Amino acid sequence: MTNRTASVNGAPHPQFAFFRGEMVPLEDARVSVMTHALHYGTAVFEGIRGNWNVEQEKMYIFRLREHYERLMQGCRMLMMELPYTVDDLCRITVELVERNANRSDIYIRPLAYKGAEMVANLKLHELSSDFTLIVVPFGNYLGTENLRCCTSSWRRLEDQMTPTQIKTSANYLNSILAKTEAVLAGFDEAILLNQDGHVSEGSGENLFMMRKGKLITPVLEDNPLPGITRETVMELAQEDLGLEVVERRIDRSELYLADEVFLSGTAAHLTPVISLDSRPIADGEPGPVSTALKRMYFDIVFGRNPKYLHWCTAAVLNLVAA
Ligand code: PMP
């Protein structure tokens, strides 16, 4: 995720960031080492995908508004007042995507942060905020089509300790520790239990399981992030596949006995879990519901399903060098 240029018709194309209210060359978007957020993780962010539809030569940004609505909730929690509305943020995002003109899948990262250059201060209400937005090329996040997961020795954060329903940067140490442990132990992804041992979610994904014909996902009381992909999957399963979808508490051992398990998230899309703690899930192959939902989901996020085109914001890329 370090590219500073995109290629347009074989020629390098300069990349921009939205920073302190303007579009600036990416290399000029820099903050001071005194920045509060750098020291304490006092920031909220979003991960939004732009999916490049090769046939139509269009970038489809998935559920842009919903991401900014969640970002705004995080800002409220962290006492950040941005000088933008959700509509403004959507417009700025489309403008940046069009200007950067990446002709491949992208990840859009808005970040609202305590930009105050004040390090020994723990009072949110005294710290000024800033907003920045970057776009980077982004392929398969998990690096594999099917996942071998482990149960993390780290527990998912509890809402009484830190707000779990918002994407605050500080919370991500929990995800980072779990992911690192899983990958260093030879697994693809970690599944975190909550404090009392119930299944919560992956390190950056929500979790679903199929058992006895029902699609089941952990209740928000067990502290998973209220994922936008989670909500999307629940709607598709119910509306299009006619499945009963249940939000309830999931015991750890239920996962080993599930007919199917999959993870969902903006970066992860919808990815089947084929083994957990070295035990295959069912026959160790992606199951029929995961496969059907994944196919539908991909059609939708690439703007190929007219019924759900309202979830996609199309960006028309500027092919003239900026
Ligand atoms: N849980 C965590 C911890 C995450 O970081 C993410 C990614 N945002 C998700 C779940 C999935 O959320 P979404 O579908 O909104 O991307």
Side-chain angles (χ1 to χ4, degrees):
M1 290 174 63
T2 54
N3 297 30
R4 297 221 167 146
T5 56
S7 172
V8 173
N9 299 332
H13 188 83
Q15 296 291 281
F16 290 83
F18 183 79
F19 184 68
R20 295 187 178 142
E22 10 173 19
M23 300 286 174
V24 300
L26 185 56
E27 53 275 18
D28 294 345
R30 293 180 180 277
V31 295
S32 155
V33 291
M34 296 284 286
T35 306
H36 195 271
L38 185 62
H39 294 255
Y40 299 110
T42 42
V44 289
F45 69 94
E46 274 304 318
I48 310 171
R49 264 194 190 261
N51 301 295
W52 177 241
N53 183 317
V54 179
E55 295 84 39
Q56 297 178 20
E57 300 227 315
K58 268 192 196 155
M59 186 72 82
Y60 285 104
I61 307 172
F62 192 58
R63 306 203 74 170
L64 181 58
R65 167 166 282 279
E66 290 85 344
H67 281 283
Y68 278 122
E69 284 167 353
R70 187 169 62 189
L71 185 91
M72 288 302 205
Q73 288 177 358
C75 287
R76 243 196 344 261
M77 183 69 83
L78 266 64
M79 297 185 169
M80 293 181 180
E81 280 194 23
L82 300 186
Y84 309 108
T85 62
V86 167
D87 281 337
D88 292 335
L89 294 169
C90 291
R91 190 180 34 74
I92 291 166
T93 303
V94 171
E95 192 187 324
L96 184 66
V97 168
E98 291 181 346
R99 189 187 276 234
N100 279 356
N102 291 278
R103 293 164 65 84
S104 62
D105 296 344
I106 52 170
Y107 192 67
I108 301 163
R109 165 57 57 81
L111 181 76
Y113 60 101
K114 290 293 185 185
E117 296 182 14
M118 206 182 264
V119 296
N121 186 326
L122 301 184
K123 290 165 279 186
L124 286 174
H125 52 280
E126 289 183 1
L127 300 162
S128 61
S129 305
D130 233 321
F131 173 79
T132 189
L133 176 64
I134 55 168
V135 170
V136 290
F138 198 52
N140 181 332
Y141 165 68
L142 291 165
T144 174
E145 290 299 312
N146 301 308
L147 299 169
R148 291 164 209 280
C149 294
C150 64
T151 306
S152 183
S153 71
W154 295 96
R155 295 295 172 101
R156 168 69 177 160
L157 299 166
E158 288 292 319
D159 194 64
Q160 302 92 318
M161 302 171 185
T162 180
T164 53
Q165 301 214 354
I166 59 167
K167 280 176 75 75
T168 173
S169 299
N171 282 2
Y172 276 79
L173 182 58
N174 183 233
S175 296
I176 288 165
L177 290 168
K179 177 79 178 190
T180 304
E181 177 191 60
V183 170
L184 291 180
F187 297 97
D188 302 311
E189 186 53 287
I191 291 174
L192 287 90
L193 309 177
N194 72 353
Q195 210 48 27
D196 48 46
H198 293 104
V199 177
S200 185
E201 62 174 352
S203 72
E205 309 86 14
N206 289 111
L207 179 141
F208 286 87
M209 90 175 165
M210 276 299 290
R211 263 204 103 186
K212 302 181 181 164
K214 292 181 188 165
L215 185 64
I216 305 162
T217 193
V219 276
L220 294 183
E221 288 78 0
D222 283 336
N223 301 320
L225 184 81
I228 291 163
T229 322
R230 176 182 184 268
E231 203 182 291
T232 303
V233 166
M234 288 166 74
E235 185 167 339
L236 295 180
Q238 223 152 352
E239 298 299 317
D240 292 61
L241 297 185
L243 283 172
E244 188 179 338
V245 180
V246 184
E247 287 176 85
R248 69 156 169 82
R249 185 149 265 197
I250 298 180
D251 288 328
R252 175 176 182 170
S253 57
E254 282 188 281
L255 285 189
Y256 300 118
L257 306 176
D259 300 317
E260 300 184 34
V261 176
F262 63 84
L263 300 183
S264 72
T266 297
H269 293 304
L270 193 161
T271 308
V273 176
I274 53 169
S275 76
L276 176 60
D277 299 329
S278 307
R279 293 162 179 83
I281 303 288
D283 62 0
E285 297 288 333
V289 172
S290 318
T291 306
L293 280 168
K294 182 175 168 174
R295 194 172 306 129
M296 279 177 67
Y297 178 78
F298 271 99
D299 264 349
I300 291 168
V301 300
F302 280 89
R304 294 193 288 254
N305 184 336
K307 181 174 169 192
Y308 292 107
L309 213 47
H310 59 282
W311 280 343
C312 299
T313 304
V316 182
L317 306 190
N318 173 13
L319 300 184
V320 181

